[in-house]
């Protein structure tokens, strides 16, 4: 069963790195390095996607949505993964990343290789080198920051700050960042 999955008309939904606790096995194809019973396609090392010999197991333009929660921070380098995402996704596909907020203590745990911030996401959009040679690229649609354990206390202590300012500048007031992107033509 080494044949890449197809299905432009079926518009595949893919979860990257869902591991043992995927979002929704009925809707998403769970792709992971490890071979858990909840993984549909195992053995995909996202760090090796920078190699010409390693690709996501989907044909070009066959994926309508990518969901990747608490996986990206474990991958370094990840440029190859981003380029593979735009290859397999069709124009208009949604790409959703959930990562620990860069200023939260869990963002820097032992098995995390880097943090991901809004500035980095913007960097992907505007630096041509990230998607050079690709016919498509990612464009940011929305981001949401989930308040963390110290948010309520900080809100009381700093009533003059907006919720966003609190989560951006006070450690542990934001636990997760949710980024929604779309695939667009690379002009």
């Amino acid at each position: 069963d080494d044949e890449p999955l197809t299905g432009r008309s079926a518009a595949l939904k893919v979860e990257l790195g869902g591991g043992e606790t995927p979002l929704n096995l009925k809707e998403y194809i769970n792709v992971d390095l490890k071979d858990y019973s909840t993984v549909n396609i195992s053995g995909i090392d996202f760090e090796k996607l920078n190699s010409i010999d390693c690709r996501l197991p989907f044909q070009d333009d066959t994926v309508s949505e990518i969901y990747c929660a608490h996986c990206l921070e474990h991958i370094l380098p990840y440029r190859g993964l981003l380029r593979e995402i735009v290859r397999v996704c069709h124009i208009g596909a949604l790409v959703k990343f959930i990562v620990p907020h860069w200023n939260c203590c869990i963002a820097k745990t032992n098995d995390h290789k880097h943090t991901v911030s809004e500035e980095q996401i913007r960097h992907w959009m505007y630096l041509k080198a990230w998607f050079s040679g690709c016919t498509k690229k990612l464009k940011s649609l929305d981001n949401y920051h989930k308040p963390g354990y110290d948010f309520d206390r900080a809100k009381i202590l700093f009533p003059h700050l907006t919720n966003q300012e609190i989560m951006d500048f006070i450690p542990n007031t934001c636990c997760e960042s949710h980024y929604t992107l779309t695939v667009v033509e690379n002009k």
Side-chain angles (χ1 to χ4, degrees):
D1 221 340
D2 292 335
E3 203 53 37
L5 296 174
T6 63
R8 180 185 277 274
S9 62
L12 301 171
K13 291 183 175 183
V14 175
E15 179 170 2
L16 299 175
E20 292 181 285
T21 55
L23 176 68
N24 181 338
L25 276 176
K26 291 181 177 151
E27 263 190 81
Y28 291 82
I29 298 168
N30 186 9
V31 178
D32 203 292
L33 177 63
K34 300 197 175 161
D35 187 19
Y36 298 117
S37 63
T38 54
V39 172
N40 303 100
I41 300 171
S42 62
I44 305 298
D45 187 343
F46 301 130
E47 290 183 347
K48 291 187 178 167
L49 292 173
N50 285 299
S51 160
I52 195 78
D53 298 331
C54 188
R55 297 170 68 121
L56 289 174
F58 306 101
Q59 290 184 354
D60 296 1
D61 303 314
T62 56
V63 175
S64 65
E65 187 175 320
I66 299 274
Y67 177 81
C68 184
H70 294 280
C71 177
L72 191 59
E73 67 273 13
H74 296 272
I75 302 165
L76 196 62
Y78 58 89
R79 180 178 176 211
L81 174 61
L82 296 178
R83 293 171 68 88
E84 273 297 283
I85 286 171
V86 299
R87 179 187 66 78
V88 302
C89 286
H90 60 71
I91 299 288
L94 290 178
V95 179
K96 299 175 183 178
F97 290 114
I98 299 174
V99 294
H101 187 270
W102 66 271
N103 205 7
C104 182
C105 61
I106 64 167
K108 297 147 186 96
T109 60
N110 192 32
D111 59 338
H112 293 177
K113 296 181 178 180
H114 62 97
T115 59
V116 178
S117 68
E118 282 181 66
E119 289 75 21
Q120 286 169 288
I121 301 276
R122 279 195 293 273
H123 183 73
W124 304 345
M125 309 300 125
Y126 300 111
L127 190 64
K128 293 183 190 264
W130 275 92
F131 296 103
S132 66
C134 297
T135 59
K136 299 173 280 184
K137 66 179 182 176
L138 293 172
K139 177 183 176 188
S140 182
L141 292 178
D142 188 35
N143 61 63
Y144 163 76
H145 301 292
K146 183 177 176 183
Y149 2 90
D150 292 334
F151 178 81
D152 291 334
R153 189 167 56 134
K155 189 75 175 150
I156 293 167
L157 292 170
F158 303 99
H160 60 287
L161 295 178
T162 67
N163 291 354
Q164 187 65 46
E165 288 170 334
I166 288 172
M167 289 188 282
D168 280 348
F169 302 115
I170 302 174
N172 296 319
T173 57
C174 182
C175 62
E176 286 182 341
S177 294
H178 297 230
Y179 300 103
T180 303
L181 303 104
T182 189
V183 177
V184 297
E185 285 184 59
N186 190 8
K187 296 178 182 181

